[in-house]
Amino acid sequence: MRIRRCTTLWLEAAELANFDLGAMLAGGTGVVTHMEWLAHSPHLHSPVQVDVAEIPLLGSLSPLDWVAAAPLRERYGATRVRRLLQAGLLIGSTKPWVMAREADERFRGQFWNGLAAVSHMNSRWEGVDAAREVEEAGLQTAEDLRQSYGIPPPAHCERAAHSAVVKLEATRRGSLDDLLDARATCRNFDTTRSMPLAQLSSVLERTFGMRGEVQGAEDFDVMKRTSPSGGALHPTECYLIIRRVEGLPDGIYHYQPKSHTLLPLPYDQQQVVVVDSESHGAAPKEALDRLAWIAVGGQSWFAEAPVLCVLAPRYVRSFWKYRNHAKAYRVCILDVGHLSQTLQLCATHEGLGSFVTAAINEVDIERAFGLLGYVDGPLAVCGFGPRANEMQTYELDPNRKIWPRT
C-alpha cells in the first residue's frame, strides 16, 4: 500500500479548559487548562486530536506524492499510521481507505485556498439556537451590550481635523431615496395571510434571474444578473423554504435563473436534527416550520417569513478561475452580500418586509437540501413577506419609516 497526506491540513495548538473538583477543594478556581494538538482538514466533519509524536509523521508527507507504507510503519509504528488513516488525515491507496480518499479528492477538485477552506468549514453551525443563547447571555438590547462590553467604538470615524473637510452639496431627493430609506430589517411578519405569487416571482426574477447571457468562449457561458459578481461567474444559487404563497405548494425549491422557474425538491423532515425546543420554552417545530426555525438559528421572528432564500455559492464555479487563491472565498462572500442587498431592495419595492442573517445552521441546511459544505454551502439566509400590522418584536427604525410613533 502507498500513503500520502490529505490535501489540506492545519494544526492548532489549542488550550482547553475543564472543571476539576479536586483543584477547587485545594483552594483554586477549579478550572484546569491543558494543551492539545487539533488537526483540521476541510474534508472531515470535525477536528481530530493528535499527539505530539504524530506531528512529525504528518509533516513529513506530501499531499501529492505517494510513498510506501512499510517504512512509515517501521519508523512511527503501525498503530499510529493506522489511526491517522482511520481519521482521514492520511490517505491510503487501497480499497479499505476508498471513502476517505474519494472525499479528499473531491475536496481537492474544488480548488480551495487551504486556510480559507479550514475557516469556512469550522465556522459552520449545527443545531444552534442562537436566539436562546443571546437571551441567556443577557445581550438582547443595546443597553445590555453597553453594560456587558463597555463603550463601543464610535459610530463615526474621523481621520483629520474639522478644518480640513470639504463640504459636499446635498443630493436632491427622489424615488430612489424613498426606496433606500424604506429598507429596514423586518422582525414582524404577518403569519395570518399568504403572499401573492406575483410578488415572489418579482423578487426572485429581479434578484437572481438572468438578465442576459453571452458565450465568453467555447463551453463558457457568462450570465448577467442585477448584482455584480467576481469574474462575472455568479456562483451563488438560491434555495428556498416556501410557506404561505398563493398558488404554490409549501415546500423546498431550487430557483432556476435562466428559465425563471422553481424546481421542487424532496424534503425529509427526519433529516433535520433540531435541539429539543420544548425544553427551551418554544413550541415544537414540525416539517417546514421546523426547518425554517433551525435554518435561521432559532430566530423565530425571521423563521415566520413566508419565503426564506438560502444563498449558497457553488465554490467550484468561482474557484475554477481563482484556483487556490487567497481572495477567492472573499469574493464568494461579497457575491452573497450583493445579492442580499438587491433582494431587500426588491422586496421593499414590492411593499414587503425583508431580512438577511448569517446566524444560520449551515450543516442542518446542507442536510435538508442535499448540499456538501465545501462544494456548495450556504453563507446567509434572506427572507421576505408581508409585514404584520403591529410590532411585537423590536425593530431598529431610526427614520420612523416603518413604525411611525407619536
Side-chain angles (χ1 to χ4, degrees):
M1 182 178 74
R2 295 178 301 156
I3 290 177
R4 64 171 173 81
R5 202 199 70 209
C6 60
T7 299
T8 295
L9 176 65
W10 178 60
L11 294 173
E12 175 190 8
E15 183 178 32
L16 304 180
N18 63 284
F19 177 75
D20 187 302
L21 179 60
M24 186 179 71
L25 295 176
T29 63
V31 178
V32 178
T33 62
H34 64 283
M35 300 300 297
E36 288 184 358
W37 283 98
L38 298 177
H40 298 264
S41 188
H43 74 289
L44 302 179
H45 294 296
S46 58
V48 177
Q49 184 179 347
V50 296
D51 62 46
V52 175
E54 292 170 336
I55 294 176
L57 167 57
L58 292 169
S60 68
L61 295 176
S62 165
L64 300 174
D65 300 327
W66 296 90
V67 298
L72 294 175
R73 294 192 185 103
E74 292 177 5
R75 182 174 180 180
Y76 297 101
T79 301
R80 181 166 285 121
V81 170
R82 184 174 184 82
R83 193 188 87 82
L84 294 178
L85 282 166
Q86 291 172 332
L89 299 176
L90 295 183
I91 305 300
S93 62
T94 55
K95 188 175 181 179
W97 315 110
V98 64
M99 291 184 63
R101 185 169 65 251
E102 288 179 348
D104 182 71
E105 289 174 351
R106 185 172 187 184
F107 168 76
R108 185 195 299 271
Q110 304 302 307
F111 308 115
W112 274 90
N113 170 268
L115 286 178
V118 169
S119 173
H120 169 71
M121 295 301 286
N122 280 276
S123 64
R124 292 149 63 243
W125 287 356
E126 180 178 10
V128 173
D129 186 346
R132 178 175 61 87
E133 291 183 355
V134 170
E135 181 180 0
E136 291 180 347
L139 299 174
Q140 290 183 289
T141 68
E143 185 60 37
D144 293 337
L145 292 168
R146 171 63 179 82
Q147 184 174 349
S148 296
Y149 296 152
I151 301 174
H156 305 285
C157 178
E158 297 181 358
R159 295 289 185 182
H162 285 282
S163 59
V165 302
V166 177
K167 183 69 174 178
L168 300 175
E169 183 179 350
T171 303
R172 185 186 299 272
R173 286 191 62 89
S175 58
L176 178 59
D177 297 281
D178 294 334
L179 178 64
L180 292 171
D181 288 345
R183 189 217 61 77
T185 296
C186 179
R187 290 189 169 200
N188 295 270
F189 291 98
D190 190 339
T191 60
T192 65
R193 61 190 175 104
S194 298
M195 187 175 73
L197 180 59
Q199 288 187 315
L200 169 67
S201 178
S202 173
V203 174
L204 292 181
E205 183 176 27
R206 287 171 167 163
T207 304
F208 303 104
M210 187 179 75
R211 310 290 280 201
E213 188 176 35
V214 65
Q215 189 176 59
E218 185 178 359
D219 298 322
F220 182 15
D221 294 329
V222 179
M223 174 175 63
K224 176 176 174 54
R225 279 175 169 166
T226 54
S227 297
S229 183
L233 294 169
H234 292 287
T236 304
E237 300 291 322
C238 175
Y239 296 92
L240 299 112
I241 304 170
I242 294 180
R243 300 158 296 164
R244 306 191 311 277
V245 173
E246 296 173 359
L248 190 63
D250 291 358
I252 64 174
Y253 295 83
H254 178 213
Y255 178 71
Q256 313 285 298
K258 186 171 185 177
S259 59
H260 185 47
T261 55
L262 291 173
L263 175 67
L265 300 175
Y267 172 59
D268 180 3
Q269 61 176 302
Q270 300 303 319
Q271 292 298 309
V272 183
V273 180
V274 183
V275 291
D276 181 10
S277 58
E278 290 184 328
S279 66
H280 304 147
K285 302 297 184 289
E286 300 295 339
L288 292 174
D289 292 339
R290 183 184 183 203
L291 175 58
W293 181 80
I294 196 65
V296 293
Q299 299 173 92
S300 57
W301 48 87
F302 289 156
E304 291 176 346
V307 178
L308 299 182
C309 299
V310 175
L311 306 188
R314 288 184 296 134
Y315 297 110
V316 72
R317 170 73 177 173
S318 181
F319 300 170
W320 165 83
K321 177 179 180 181
Y322 304 111
R323 300 192 174 199
N324 305 299
H325 199 293
K327 301 289 187 181
Y329 181 55
R330 185 181 297 185
V331 170
C332 288
I333 296 173
L334 287 171
D335 201 75
V336 167
H338 297 322
L339 290 167
S340 66
Q341 172 68 350
T342 299
L343 181 146
Q344 290 194 280
L345 289 177
C346 292
T348 303
H349 177 75
E350 292 290 330
L352 302 170
S354 63
F355 73 85
V356 58
T357 180
I360 64 176
N361 281 300
E362 292 90 343
V363 176
D364 299 284
I365 295 171
E366 291 161 7
R367 187 181 296 118
F369 285 95
L371 308 177
L372 182 59
Y374 58 79
V375 175
D376 44 8
L379 290 182
V381 171
C382 297
F384 57 94
R387 282 184 172 273
N389 293 325
E390 296 180 0
M391 182 170 64
Q392 300 295 328
T393 302
Y394 176 75
E395 292 182 14
L396 184 62
D397 180 28
N399 292 330
R400 302 187 179 187
K401 296 292 185 180
I402 308 303
W403 304 104
R405 299 181 295 273
T406 56

